[in-house]
């Protein structure tokens, strides 16, 4: 595939803060690439440098083999992170307005339907909810039927149903041949949407690849968590199951490297040893584990925000 | 055609946004009208016949129109630049085919309509309240248009240089007030010290006032055309500077 977006050694600093440090990245035609990273990692700066709205200190960027300042802007659909269009205009008027800046545009009514704001099309933008506003902004971004979408946190402030709608819209556009570069804090969203994921930390692109490849390389072991009252009493000697390691917390036993088929034998062994599990969960590593491992951010694995698709609950 | 379409799209959006800011609409028209009421009808000339507002009423018609031509574009375009920058709209527009010049052209056109209507209302009120003899010269149209272009350019410059909407409004007031009183609008040159009078020529508003007064009061077409020429040249420069400074990147 031809590369639609190419960043070559981009660096950018704001005073003493190094926002981007020698970042190189390419996005092939028709590909969806998601940029993940903590706040201040440089995602927005990278998107701006690629969209041509901030000049890099060093390095170069091309879109469709042209510099951002020379590229045909009718081929671009850029959604800035904190974009706030004129608040007194309605979604219908906003789509007409931004559509009027292009020689060719999509039908306004169909675009309002597509992003799910047709029912509030005549309400002033400033009176919309946060999710409706962001979806209106997405409609503005799509109105010129762009070949390349650059979306800086497109699902920020949107409720789960709205997020799903945005994800479906982006997936439809990608399947229709559009190239998509997006930033997000939602790891599950990146895993679902993206062909490839780039992980930025402190302005550096520290990992990049298909989600499955990143998980295989950096995700670590399967994890079997046994909730019980006295995990210290559990003697796993003679378990007969090949595991990588075991960790104990005051109320949990964490067994790493245990396959899903090992769950039954482990539970039987614990019960035989007098440890009565009150809850069980088994999870294969996901992109979130990769994110946490590579960014060094802390995370409580017993929390409720794990990606449910990569988790299997087993009744005790 | 596409350039015209882009300017039209931007202008229509700006026009609708303006009309829905009711307080902005009200004060845009109320401010010059209240000036006419205060200085045209309430303030009286001193017993000696000297000082401010001692000229015939028609002399000041150009000054009242100058208030509209000066204040409205300075404050509206300056704050619009700041507001658009704060909402990341310039960042978005930079990725569309709309150019800086087209953006400023669209907002200048909107201001032209607003100021044209306000100027008309002012002239009607001046004649009605003060009985001023004001000639309905067609030259007033290009004079107002050139003034609008000029001060929209200056407004864009102030908005681009100010770091906030408040800053843009403060800067426009700081520029507008001295210009208003030192540009042959309400203060005749004879009331200024001789050494200061050349400074009046440095104000672009002076050429609007002189031209508008020549067109509507003294009837000296040559003076009106000369000042229109100077005003137009200054408008081209101010518009070019303003368009170049309209933000396009963060």
């Amino acid at each position: 595939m031809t590369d639609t977006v190419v960043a070559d050694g981009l660096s950018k600093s704001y005073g003493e803060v190094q926002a981007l440090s020698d970042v190189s990245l390419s996005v092939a035609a028709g590909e969806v690439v998601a940029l993940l990273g903590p706040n201040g990692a440089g995602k927005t700066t990278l998107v701006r440098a690629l969209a041509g709205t901030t000049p890099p200190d060093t390095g170069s960027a091309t879109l469709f083999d042209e510099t951002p300042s020379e590229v045909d802007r009718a081929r671009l659909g850029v959604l800035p992170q904190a974009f706030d269009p004129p608040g007194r205009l309605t979604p219908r008027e906003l789509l007409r307005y931004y559509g009027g800046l292009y020689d060719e545009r999509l039908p306004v009514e169909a675009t309002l339907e597509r992003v799910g704001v047709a029912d509030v099309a005549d309400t002033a933008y400033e009176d919309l909810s946060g999710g409706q506003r962001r979806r209106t902004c997405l409609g503005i971004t799509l109105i010129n039927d762009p070949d390349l979408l650059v979306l800086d946190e497109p699902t920020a402030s949107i409720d789960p149903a709205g997020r799903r709608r945005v994800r479906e819209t982006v997936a439809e556009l990608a399947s229709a041949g559009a190239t998509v570069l997006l930033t997000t804090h939602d790891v599950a969203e990146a895993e679902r949407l993206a062909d490839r994921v780039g992980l930025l930390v402190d302005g550096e692109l520290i990992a990049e690849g298909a989600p499955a490849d990143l998980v295989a390389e950096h995700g670590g072991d399967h994890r079997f968590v046994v909730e019980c009252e006295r995990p210290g009493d559990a003697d796993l000697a003679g378990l007969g199951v090949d595991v990588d390691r075991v960790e104990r917390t005051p109320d949990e036993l964490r067994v790493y490297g245990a396959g899903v088929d090992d769950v039954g034998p482990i539970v039987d062994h614990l019960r035989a040893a007098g440890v009565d599990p009150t809850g069980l969960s088994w999870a294969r590593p996901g992109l979130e584990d990769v994110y946490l491992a590579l960014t060094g951010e802390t995370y409580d694995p017993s929390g409720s925000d794990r990606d449910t698709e990569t988790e299997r609950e087993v009744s005790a | 055609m596409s350039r015209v379409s882009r300017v039209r799209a931007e202008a229509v959006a700006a026009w609708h946004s303006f009309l829905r800011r009711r307080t902005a609409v009200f004060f845009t028209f109320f401010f010059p009208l209240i000036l006419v009421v205060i200085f045209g009808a309430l303030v009286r000339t001193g017993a000696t016949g000297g000082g401010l507002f001692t000229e015939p009423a028609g002399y000041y018609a150009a000054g009242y129109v100058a208030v509209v031509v000066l204040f409205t574009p300075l404050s509206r375009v300056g704050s619009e630049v700041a507001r658009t920058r704060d909402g990341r709209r310039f960042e978005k527009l930079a990725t569309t085919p709309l150019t800086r010049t087209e953006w400023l052209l669209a907002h200048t056109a909107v201001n032209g309509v607003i100021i044209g209507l306000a100027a008309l209302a002012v002239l009607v009120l001046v004649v009605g309240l003060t009985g001023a003899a004001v000639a309905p010269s067609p030259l007033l149209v290009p004079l107002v248009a050139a003034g609008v272009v000029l001060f929209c350019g200056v407004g864009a410059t102030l908005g681009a240089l100010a770091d906030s909407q408040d800053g843009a409004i403060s800067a426009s007031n700081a520029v507008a007030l001295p210009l208003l009183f030192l540009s042959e609008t309400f203060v005749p040159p004879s009331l200024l010290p001789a050494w200061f009078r050349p400074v009046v020529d440095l104000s672009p508003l002076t050429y609007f006032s002189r031209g508008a007064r020549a067109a509507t009061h003294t009837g000296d077409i040559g003076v009106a055309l000369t000042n229109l020429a100077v005003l137009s040249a200054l408008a081209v420069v101010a518009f070019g500077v303003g368009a170049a400074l309209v933000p396009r990147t963060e």
Side-chain angles (χ1 to χ4, degrees):
Chain A
M1 284 192 288
T2 313
D3 286 334
T4 298
V5 178
V6 177
D8 184 15
L10 291 177
S11 293
K12 174 81 178 178
S13 61
Y14 297 98
E16 294 182 356
V17 177
Q18 190 73 33
L20 283 182
S21 182
D22 195 25
V23 171
S24 295
L25 176 76
S26 61
V27 184
E31 195 177 26
V32 179
V33 171
L35 296 172
L36 282 170
N39 291 328
K43 302 186 295 297
T44 293
T45 304
L46 177 55
V47 162
R48 284 177 173 165
L50 291 171
T53 56
T54 194
D57 296 335
T58 59
S60 63
T62 59
L63 310 174
F64 303 106
D65 295 324
E66 295 188 275
T67 63
S69 61
E70 293 170 339
V71 73
D72 178 4
R73 291 187 172 94
R75 302 186 72 183
L76 303 183
V78 178
L79 175 59
Q81 186 180 42
F83 176 48
D84 190 24
R88 304 292 169 108
L89 301 184
T90 67
R92 179 175 281 117
E93 289 170 332
L94 285 167
L95 264 62
R96 282 183 186 150
Y97 160 36
Y98 284 96
L101 303 180
Y102 300 91
D103 288 337
E104 294 178 14
R105 65 204 72 101
L106 295 174
V108 168
E109 299 306 320
T111 307
L112 290 166
E113 288 280 353
R114 185 179 211 174
V115 297
V117 292
D119 56 333
V120 290
D122 294 317
T123 304
Y125 177 85
E126 64 186 7
D127 294 331
L128 301 177
S129 69
Q132 289 167 334
R133 289 184 183 192
R134 201 61 178 159
R135 280 184 278 145
T136 300
C137 292
L138 182 65
I140 290 169
T141 308
L142 303 181
I143 194 66
N144 56 311
D145 195 16
D147 298 322
L148 170 62
L149 280 162
V150 181
L151 309 173
D152 198 353
E153 298 195 17
T155 56
S157 309
I158 302 185
D159 59 27
R163 276 205 299 272
R164 175 168 290 184
R165 184 154 204 152
V166 170
R167 283 199 296 264
E168 287 172 355
T169 304
V170 172
E172 283 171 19
L173 291 162
S175 63
T179 305
V180 182
L181 175 65
L182 62 90
T183 74
T184 181
H185 284 288
D186 188 336
V187 178
E189 179 174 283
E191 197 163 18
R192 287 186 186 121
L193 270 179
D195 300 310
R196 283 190 300 129
V197 168
L199 185 55
L200 278 162
V201 177
D202 294 334
E204 294 184 33
L205 187 66
I206 61 169
E208 182 228 327
D213 294 342
L214 290 175
V215 171
E217 188 174 352
H218 304 287
D221 297 324
H222 295 158
R223 185 176 58 234
F224 178 43
V225 178
V226 181
E227 294 173 32
C228 51
E229 288 190 358
R230 297 183 308 280
D233 294 349
D235 180 7
L236 295 179
L239 177 62
V241 173
D242 185 20
V243 299
D244 290 339
R245 70 183 194 281
V246 176
E247 290 177 0
R248 290 180 173 83
T249 71
D251 54 5
E252 281 184 358
L253 191 69
R254 297 174 186 169
V255 184
Y256 291 89
V260 71
D261 294 337
D262 299 327
V263 168
I266 293 173
V267 172
D268 290 343
H269 182 84
L270 290 173
R271 283 183 171 146
V275 176
D276 196 19
T278 57
L280 304 173
S281 65
W282 179 88
R284 64 164 64 95
L287 196 56
E288 191 166 78
D289 298 289
V290 176
Y291 178 93
L292 294 170
L294 294 181
T295 61
E297 292 194 339
T298 56
Y299 168 68
D300 178 1
S302 65
S304 59
D305 56 343
R306 268 179 295 181
D307 180 4
T308 53
E309 283 190 357
T310 59
E311 183 176 331
R312 298 181 188 179
E313 298 268 341
V314 182
S315 176
Chain B
M1 277 305 291
S2 60
R3 178 182 289 264
V4 174
S5 300
R6 292 195 295 269
V7 172
R8 186 171 58 220
E10 180 69 38
V12 167
W15 176 253
H16 285 152
S17 289
F18 169 69
L19 287 185
R20 288 173 196 167
R21 287 198 296 272
R22 291 177 188 168
T23 51
V25 174
F26 177 76
F27 284 107
T28 295
F29 291 95
F30 178 76
F31 173 60
L33 298 184
I34 198 69
L35 278 184
V36 175
V37 171
I38 292 171
F39 294 111
L42 297 178
V43 175
R44 297 296 176 188
T45 304
T48 60
L52 285 171
F53 296 98
T54 56
E55 301 289 337
Y59 177 91
Y60 298 106
Y64 294 122
V65 177
V67 171
V68 183
V69 168
L70 172 67
F71 274 88
T72 305
L74 269 189
S75 61
R76 287 198 74 248
V77 175
S79 58
E80 184 64 30
V81 167
R83 188 163 46 235
T84 304
R85 182 180 52 215
D86 291 348
R88 298 287 184 195
R89 291 176 218 157
F90 283 127
E91 189 178 336
K92 170 66 183 170
L93 289 174
T95 65
T96 73
L98 188 78
T99 65
R100 303 177 215 217
T101 301
E102 290 165 357
W103 184 90
L104 187 54
L105 195 58
H107 287 266
T108 301
V110 170
N111 276 278
V113 173
I114 294 167
I115 292 158
L117 292 172
L120 192 61
V122 162
L123 286 174
V124 168
L125 196 64
V126 166
V127 172
L129 272 183
T130 67
V134 176
S137 169
L139 271 176
L140 202 54
V141 175
L143 280 162
V144 169
V148 169
V149 172
L150 194 160
F151 289 110
C152 281
V154 177
T157 301
L158 295 177
L161 297 177
D163 60 359
S164 66
Q165 205 173 329
D166 290 343
I169 293 170
S170 300
S172 67
N173 287 339
V175 169
L177 279 171
L179 282 185
L180 181 63
F181 291 105
L182 300 175
S183 304
E184 293 189 23
T185 49
F186 299 113
V187 181
S190 57
L191 294 182
L192 296 171
W195 63 266
F196 189 80
R197 287 174 200 164
V199 176
V200 172
D201 291 338
L202 297 176
S203 165
L205 190 64
T206 298
Y207 301 97
F208 175 83
S209 305
R210 286 175 182 165
R213 184 165 295 119
T216 61
H217 182 58
T218 62
D220 192 335
I221 302 304
V223 171
L225 288 173
T226 302
N227 283 285
L228 174 61
V230 176
L231 193 68
S232 300
L234 292 173
V236 169
V237 173
F239 186 89
V241 172
L245 290 176
V246 166
R248 294 292 282 175
T249 57
E250 60 78 40

